[in-house]
Amino acid sequence: MDIGELRRDYSQRGLDLSELNPDPFAQFELWFQQAREAELLEPNALVLSTVSPAGAPYQRTVLLKYFDRDGFVFFTNYGSRKAQHIAENAQVSMLFPWYSLERQLTIAGPASKISAAESLRYFSSRPRGSQLGAWVSQQSSVIASRQMLEMQFEKMKEKFLNQEVPLPDFWGGYRVKPTSFEFWQGRPSRLHDRFLYSWQEDEWAIARLSP
């Protein structure tokens, strides 16, 4: 199948150095708020990239749940493939693909587990079905059927009937502490605007990259 003719020119707007906040966290917050105001589907969805011990890259979509100057937090099963990769190589990359805004944003840095107390605060705010789902899913492991998964879910509903669902000891959050941010804005003729923030000698340096 030849799909070479599938293309569009990006022309919504440009991005200039004079517009950028010198603080990449503040610039991220601005773009994230604009993504929310544009009513994008899952504006907090990001593609998380990790590397296996054998050096093979893997990607999957996860949801950013909160962020501050300490970093960007997502949650997962600590037995999952991504968690196993992070245990061997903490360096990860997060890509926010805001296509309808003709933007993408990449953040790179090391990931580390947050405290159990911090994970519990978030877990307690989740819908009950999601709490039960965390107990049921042995993420990334092979399962026999969908029916078996649903049977386990019903068992967990019975087990925790009329009581709060406790935090599983195999589930929690990771915080990614950025060492770089790249803001990408689509432009006509593929002459895109790209700006890289990198942490250098206790401050953020900004460089324009060739498209």
Side-chain angles (χ1 to χ4, degrees):
M1 180 184 297
D2 184 357
I3 56 175
E5 293 302 312
L6 282 177
R7 62 169 60 89
R8 60 175 291 174
D9 223 11
Y10 302 133
S11 58
Q12 286 190 27
R13 57 160 298 162
L15 183 63
D16 191 77
L17 179 61
S18 63
E19 302 175 51
L20 294 174
N21 194 303
D23 177 0
F25 291 92
Q27 185 65 37
F28 173 86
E29 188 166 1
L30 172 64
W31 271 28
F32 186 78
Q33 184 59 33
Q34 290 173 348
R36 293 186 66 184
E37 291 170 356
E39 299 183 346
L40 302 190
L41 178 65
E42 304 282 22
N44 59 326
L46 64 98
V47 179
L48 178 72
S49 297
T50 59
V51 178
S52 75
Y58 285 82
Q59 300 82 34
R60 75 290 289 163
T61 300
V62 301
L63 297 177
L64 177 70
K65 285 304 177 181
Y66 53 89
F67 62 92
D68 53 30
R69 299 198 65 82
D70 291 327
F72 296 77
V73 178
F74 66 89
F75 290 84
T76 190
N77 186 303
Y78 286 145
S80 65
R81 177 191 288 146
K82 71 178 78 66
Q84 294 173 26
H85 290 181
I86 290 170
E88 294 290 332
N89 181 353
Q91 298 297 324
V92 304
S93 176
M94 303 185 299
L95 170 68
F96 292 85
W98 294 325
Y99 300 125
S100 65
L101 296 179
E102 299 176 353
R103 287 175 172 175
Q104 59 181 339
L105 168 61
T106 305
I107 299 172
S112 59
K113 288 182 179 179
I114 64 176
S115 69
E118 191 174 352
S119 290
L120 177 59
R121 283 196 297 273
Y122 172 70
F123 185 80
S124 299
S125 73
R126 301 182 91 201
R128 188 174 181 85
S130 297
Q131 293 176 340
L132 293 169
W135 277 96
V136 171
S137 174
Q138 302 301 312
Q139 199 171 97
S140 302
S141 63
V142 176
I143 59 175
S145 67
R146 173 79 192 187
Q147 183 181 17
M148 291 295 296
L149 189 66
E150 292 175 349
M151 287 174 58
Q152 288 298 319
F153 187 78
E154 292 302 318
K155 287 181 180 179
M156 286 298 167
K157 285 173 66 175
E158 289 296 322
K159 179 176 181 178
F160 297 121
L161 187 65
N162 299 323
Q163 62 177 292
E164 291 187 1
V165 181
L167 173 71
D169 59 6
F170 52 81
W171 190 96
Y174 283 95
R175 175 176 284 105
V176 178
K177 186 174 180 60
T179 55
S180 69
F181 293 74
E182 184 183 323
F183 294 83
W184 184 102
Q185 179 73 56
R187 294 297 301 276
S189 302
R190 298 297 186 257
L191 298 180
H192 312 305
D193 289 322
R194 296 173 60 193
F195 287 95
L196 176 68
Y197 291 74
S198 55
W199 185 247
Q200 298 179 10
E201 299 179 357
D202 298 325
E203 66 179 7
W204 290 101
I206 308 176
R208 178 184 275 273
L209 303 182
S210 173

